Amino acid sequence: MYRYDEFDHTFMAERVAQFARQVARRMSGEMTEEQFRPLRLMNGLYLQLHAYMLRVNVPYGSLSSAQLRGLAEIARKYDRNYGHFTTRQNIQYNWIKLDEMPALLGDLAKIEMHGIQSSGNCIRNTTSDQYAGASADEIEDPRVYCEIIRQWSTLHPEFSYLPRKFKIAVTGAPKDRAAVALHDIGLRLYHNAEGKAGFEVLVGGGQGRTPVIAKTIRKWLEPEDMLSYLEAILRVYNLWGRRDNKYKARIKILVNATGIDEFRNQVDSEWDKIKDTKLQLDAQEIERIRAYFASPAYETLPDYSAELIAHGEQNTAFKEWLKSNTAAHKITGYLIVNLSLKSPKQPPGDITSEQMLATADLADHYNFGELRVNHRQNLTFTDVRQIDVYELWQKLAALDLATPNIGKVSDIIACPGLDYCALANARSIPIAERIQQRFEDIDRLHDVGELSLNISGCMNACGHHHVGNIGILGVEKKGQEYYQFTLGGSSTEDAALGDRTGPGFSTDEVVNAVDRILNTYIEQRDDIEETFLETYRRVGMAPFKEALYGAN
Amino acid sequence: MALIKDGVEAKDSFVNACHLDTLPASGDIIVSLDQWNDHRDALLARDAQLGVTLKSDQHPDSIADDLQHFALVALEFPAFTDGRAYSYARILRDQYSFAKELRAVGDVLLEQLLYMNRVGINAFDIVGDNDLEQWKVAAADYTVWYQPTNDGRTSIRDLRRG
């Protein structure tokens, strides 16, 4: 993985010192809260309902065990002994004191981490595929380009006061685990007919109040041109994006209003002028960064999958976990293992300091000292020897990190909701907990099969409800919380926005409504192989509507 | 009110004439884009330096053919959150090769000095003088930069190559 060199360290030390001075000016009253607000936001510090919340970037989801230990220590020292992983590969701390922030940022800098641009109208943390470098279906490692983008976007002088926030995601596999079509810019790495790697560039995707699937602006972009092309898009957006209404300020609105063809012309005209500048990457620089992401020292191992399956015949819990929580590795004898942060005992994405420390030890022992954070708020060990998998499962189960529900109905994405967030209209976490409790039964969970259920506590859609196969949106009506359902959303390579079912349901009715939707799916599916999304796409809304609201 | 230019406190010879109904007969002045368009000949006939202000919705393309007449271009930030002029500065410096003074006016905050500096803005109109000393040192907050721009600073990528 990437390691800071002397220049990165110098930059971080200067950033920490600068913020310490800014905090001192705020604490002394020299600066008002209004003046301080943009400065703290640029460092990831939000003022929430009860306290300051700090959002720390995990660049493209990649963490070392030492970093995870550092994050655990920060949770212990400055927070209430836990952290929350978000859908954008960040970790959030919910109970931060302002006067402790400089020391906290210093501690973060020691583990090569920060909260820069995790908030504000700037380029946010670049996200990627959690299986990068390991998955059997990968074409090119997206982390190389994520790191180049990370450096380029950090304190970008021209693009730190954009009309609105800006999110970039990169994927290097045909199976899209990074939801690139739901980002302001999505980059898809693939090989052209000559076998050379390059990007398909998507622009103008996003969720929030106006969900839009991104459009292809360029079918082919040479990797060497990546930064100049990104800079051209960002400049057109900075110049022409709306600044009069924050709900119409994202690039998706500009792209839709301009039309993708005209927008492409504007970008190309800007790109022509800056293509042959220092922004141009050369193969040497790309290879220099690539070297940081060299594969770990894989051993030559036999395929052990038959033995794992045999283990499963003895132990149903292991069998179910193996089926849902692991994925194929590109190297024989290895497996990708997902750690579920969706136990019914904890809010989705939450993890205690103790779990972090124990996970760091397991990463050292079983996964070359690294791990990933993924956009579904779980953790991933990308390089586990198959021969170790049974033992690892036992240890994860003891830490309550082996709920066998990855990609299943109880693997819920949820925003913090009204329990923490100042913007929320309704609670998300208690709804997630009740759904998880209802579907604790493993047989039911696996009978329902592959399904994403996403919950947002307001229309800003941090819980990605638009792209959940089942989406739940919390709204407030006459002082009561109501939950509206959408069906058929997807954030993967077949990205789609869900369709609204009809009127919302009260807090007491939500779980039963989910149950009715799932029963309808089971009745309607051709066979157990047909997923919820496939069935929905085949049969449409009618039978689900009938199940939810009765025939009329 | 003070002017910081190229990192030091500087005397401002210009009078802001943007809101004056009649233009001063003599002395260096800064005019609005409308004034420039309306009184072009009269302004060119004056025996003094001329500057023009671009509001945040006035793209530099509108003065592209006239740049040789201006001793400075003032870029207005109506609110610190309005970042359009960062791009204007780069277009003026990089695409139109404007080499004279680029001055930030309006809601210009200390914390933005470095960003502005890096896109080519070399003069800052500071409201109030309390933190003038801090303004002089703010440029030293960072010594390393990831992005290549045309401000003369070496990017980290180039430094790594030695």
Side-chain angles (χ1 to χ4, degrees):
Chain A
M1 63 185 287
Y2 187 73
R3 301 306 311 259
Y4 280 15
D5 67 8
E6 53 175 312
F7 300 106
D8 300 301
H9 277 296
T10 303
F11 168 77
M12 273 314 304
E14 290 174 346
R15 179 62 168 190
V16 171
Q18 184 194 38
F19 192 61
R21 285 196 298 277
Q22 292 165 350
V23 170
R25 283 167 63 204
R26 172 71 192 111
M27 304 284 291
S28 74
E30 203 183 316
M31 212 189 300
T32 64
E33 169 56 24
E34 196 191 349
Q35 290 168 323
F36 180 61
R37 189 173 170 274
L39 308 180
R40 64 169 165 77
L41 287 178
M42 286 286 191
N43 284 289
L45 193 63
Y46 283 76
L47 194 52
Q48 291 286 47
L49 278 181
H50 312 291
Y52 282 105
M53 180 273 277
L54 174 67
R55 182 182 294 150
V56 177
N57 299 317
V58 180
Y60 37 93
S62 188
L63 273 180
S64 69
S65 54
Q67 287 175 319
L68 188 59
R69 283 191 190 94
L71 293 175
E73 177 64 11
I74 284 166
R76 195 194 57 73
K77 206 162 141 188
Y78 303 103
D79 202 298
R80 299 185 179 175
N81 229 23
Y82 72 97
H84 171 77
F85 286 109
T86 76
T87 57
R88 297 212 72 258
Q89 301 181 317
N90 299 312
I91 183 168
Q92 293 181 176
Y93 295 107
N94 284 303
W95 305 94
I96 300 300
K97 295 179 197 75
L98 182 58
D99 58 343
E100 294 182 347
M101 263 297 281
L104 197 170
L105 287 189
D107 286 356
L108 274 177
K110 281 180 208 148
I111 52 169
E112 305 184 357
M113 295 186 79
H114 59 73
I116 297 170
Q117 291 169 209
S118 65
S119 173
N121 294 336
C122 49
I123 304 168
R124 303 289 188 88
N125 185 28
T126 297
T127 54
S128 190
D129 181 352
Q130 69 273 15
Y131 295 171
S135 80
D137 69 337
E138 183 167 288
I139 296 167
E140 282 275 317
D141 192 334
R143 294 172 298 173
V144 179
Y145 300 98
C146 291
E147 176 56 28
I148 292 172
I149 295 170
R150 184 192 73 79
Q151 297 190 20
W152 162 80
S153 61
T154 300
L155 263 51
H156 195 293
E158 187 179 345
F159 305 131
S160 291
Y161 294 93
L162 296 167
R164 200 74 180 86
K165 58 189 169 185
F166 204 91
K167 301 172 180 177
I168 303 175
V170 189
T171 181
K175 183 132 181 68
D176 181 0
R177 287 170 288 260
V180 297
L182 282 314
H183 283 76
D184 295 284
I185 293 179
L187 296 172
R188 266 187 195 143
L189 275 161
Y190 70 102
H191 285 168
N192 68 7
E194 288 82 54
K196 187 179 188 313
F199 300 103
E200 177 189 356
V201 184
L202 291 87
V203 71
Q207 304 194 50
R209 291 166 188 239
T210 318
V212 181
I213 304 291
K215 297 161 188 70
T216 298
I217 182 167
R218 244 194 117 68
K219 288 222 166 66
W220 176 256
L221 180 73
E222 302 280 347
E224 290 78 4
D225 293 326
M226 179 181 74
L227 291 185
S228 60
Y229 195 72
L230 291 181
E231 197 141 316
I233 296 178
L234 263 299
R235 183 167 295 160
V236 171
Y237 171 56
N238 191 41
L239 288 173
W240 306 113
R242 282 182 66 171
R243 290 174 186 268
D244 59 329
N245 179 342
K246 75 180 252 195
Y247 300 116
K248 299 196 181 299
R250 294 287 290 270
I251 195 172
K252 61 193 173 190
I253 305 289
L254 177 67
V255 172
N256 279 353
T258 315
I260 183 69
D261 293 324
E262 172 55 21
F263 187 80
R264 180 184 300 114
N265 291 341
Q266 292 177 8
V267 169
D268 282 346
S269 144
E270 202 57 48
W271 189 36
D272 269 347
K273 297 171 195 157
I274 59 175
K275 209 171 166 180
D276 298 317
T277 62
K278 278 182 170 285
L279 286 168
Q280 185 76 1
L281 292 161
D282 55 26
Q284 188 195 339
E285 173 66 5
I286 295 172
E287 291 316 309
R288 193 185 71 79
I289 298 287
R290 193 189 305 281
Y292 283 106
F293 300 100
S295 293
Y298 294 124
E299 298 164 51
T300 308
L301 297 169
D303 180 17
Y304 195 72
S305 41
E307 285 83 347
L308 286 179
I309 291 164
H311 267 302
E313 296 310 322
Q314 318 279 315
N315 185 329
T316 320
F318 175 71
K319 183 180 174 182
E320 300 298 351
W321 175 86
L322 185 68
K323 205 160 76 183
S324 61
N325 289 32
T326 66
H329 200 284
K330 64 178 182 184
I331 304 289
T332 306
Y334 286 84
L335 209 55
I336 296 171
V337 171
N338 288 296
L339 285 60
S340 173
L341 298 181
K342 308 295 175 61
S343 145
K345 293 179 200 156
Q346 273 169 280
D350 274 18
I351 184 167
T352 64
S353 299
E354 291 72 24
Q355 284 175 316
M356 285 191 246
L357 290 172
T359 301
D361 290 345
L362 294 178
D364 279 340
H365 196 79
Y366 295 105
N367 198 49
F368 299 96
E370 290 185 22
L371 70 154
R372 308 283 169 80
V373 182
N374 70 50
H375 93 269
R376 290 203 60 89
Q377 301 178 284
N378 294 308
L379 301 177
T380 303
F381 281 5
T382 46
D383 303 289
V384 181
R385 301 193 310 175
Q386 281 177 320
I387 201 164
D388 293 333
V389 162
Y390 185 73
E391 193 180 285
L392 174 61
W393 168 72
Q394 292 174 307
K395 292 183 179 172
L396 290 175
L399 293 167
D400 205 22
L401 295 172
T403 311
N405 62 352
I406 298 293
K408 303 287 189 294
V409 64
S410 61
D411 182 9
I412 296 170
I413 291 183
C415 69
L418 198 52
D419 293 301
Y420 294 97
C421 178
L423 301 172
N425 300 121
R427 287 168 297 169
S428 309
I429 295 170
I431 299 296
E433 272 169 6
R434 288 159 76 161
I435 295 171
Q436 284 169 330
Q437 280 158 7
R438 176 73 67 96
F439 297 100
E440 248 183 311
D441 177 60
I442 302 295
D443 291 337
R444 179 87 200 282
L445 198 64
H446 285 262
D447 183 33
V448 171
E450 189 187 318
L451 187 146
S452 60
L453 191 152
N454 300 351
I455 307 173
S456 302
C458 79
M459 62 206 292
N460 290 312
C462 298
H464 294 193
H465 67 277
H466 299 298
V467 293
N469 297 166
I470 297 175
I472 302 179
L473 166 65
V475 294
E476 189 253 296
K477 214 165 66 183
K478 293 181 188 141
Q480 296 287 319
E481 292 159 90
Y482 274 85
Y483 295 87
Q484 296 173 348
F485 280 68
T486 47
L487 301 179
S490 166
S491 68
T492 61
E493 61 282 359
D494 60 353
L497 304 170
D499 308 311
R500 179 116 173 249
T501 57
F505 296 88
S506 72
T507 310
D508 291 336
E509 297 164 336
V510 172
V511 181
N512 284 334
V514 173
D515 219 7
R516 286 203 289 273
I517 291 168
L518 296 181
N519 287 337
T520 307
Y521 153 63
I522 288 166
E523 284 159 29
Q524 295 286 332
R525 69 184 174 194
D526 272 344
D527 55 48
I528 195 160
E529 296 300 319
E530 190 179 59
T531 64
F532 175 85
L533 187 60
E534 287 162 352
T535 301
Y536 176 77
R537 286 180 174 172
R538 183 173 55 77
V539 305
M541 178 65 86
F544 294 96
K545 218 169 179 153
E546 195 182 314
L548 285 172
Y549 306 106
N552 46 35
Chain B
M1 210 62 175
L3 181 72
I4 303 271
K5 189 176 169 182
D6 298 323
V8 294
E9 202 174 343
K11 189 175 153 9
D12 188 3
S13 70
F14 285 84
V15 169
N16 184 2
C18 290
H19 307 293
L20 301 180
D21 291 336
T22 49
L23 297 170
S26 63
D28 301 343
I29 55 171
I30 303 174
V31 297
S32 67
L33 183 61
D34 286 347
Q35 287 169 320
W36 166 247
N37 288 330
D38 293 347
H39 308 289
R40 183 188 172 96
D41 293 339
L43 287 166
L44 286 175
R46 292 175 88 254
D47 186 22
Q49 297 192 93
L50 185 62
V52 67
T53 299
L54 291 181
K55 291 185 188 295
S56 66
D57 60 355
Q58 293 172 332
H59 192 285
D61 281 356
S62 55
I63 52 168
D65 297 328
D66 297 331
L67 283 169
Q68 72 273 17
H69 303 302
F70 303 123
L72 76 84
V73 175
L75 297 170
E76 191 177 281
F77 291 83
F80 75 87
T81 49
D82 185 339
R84 280 176 282 191
Y86 293 96
S87 290
Y88 297 161
R90 292 204 73 185
I91 290 167
L92 283 162
R93 289 290 193 225
D94 300 353
Q95 292 173 19
Y96 294 131
S97 305
F98 182 72
K100 294 174 193 159
E101 180 177 334
L102 271 188
R103 183 184 293 191
V105 300
D107 194 11
V108 179
L109 307 181
L110 176 68
E111 276 67 28
Q112 295 172 312
L113 177 141
L114 269 170
Y115 293 91
M116 293 185 178
N117 219 219
R118 294 233 56 218
V119 296
I121 294 171
N122 66 324
F124 304 88
D125 226 353
I126 317 282
V127 181
D129 57 359
N130 292 336
D131 47 12
L132 208 55
E133 285 311 309
Q134 295 192 51
W135 275 85
K136 291 181 196 167
V137 299
D141 277 356
Y142 292 92
T143 59
V144 290
W145 323 90
Y146 285 109
Q147 303 78 15
T149 68
N150 275 341
D151 68 341
R153 293 178 171 100
T154 312
S155 74
I156 289 175
R157 203 205 301 168
D158 285 341
L159 287 173
R160 281 174 177 145
R161 288 187 178 165

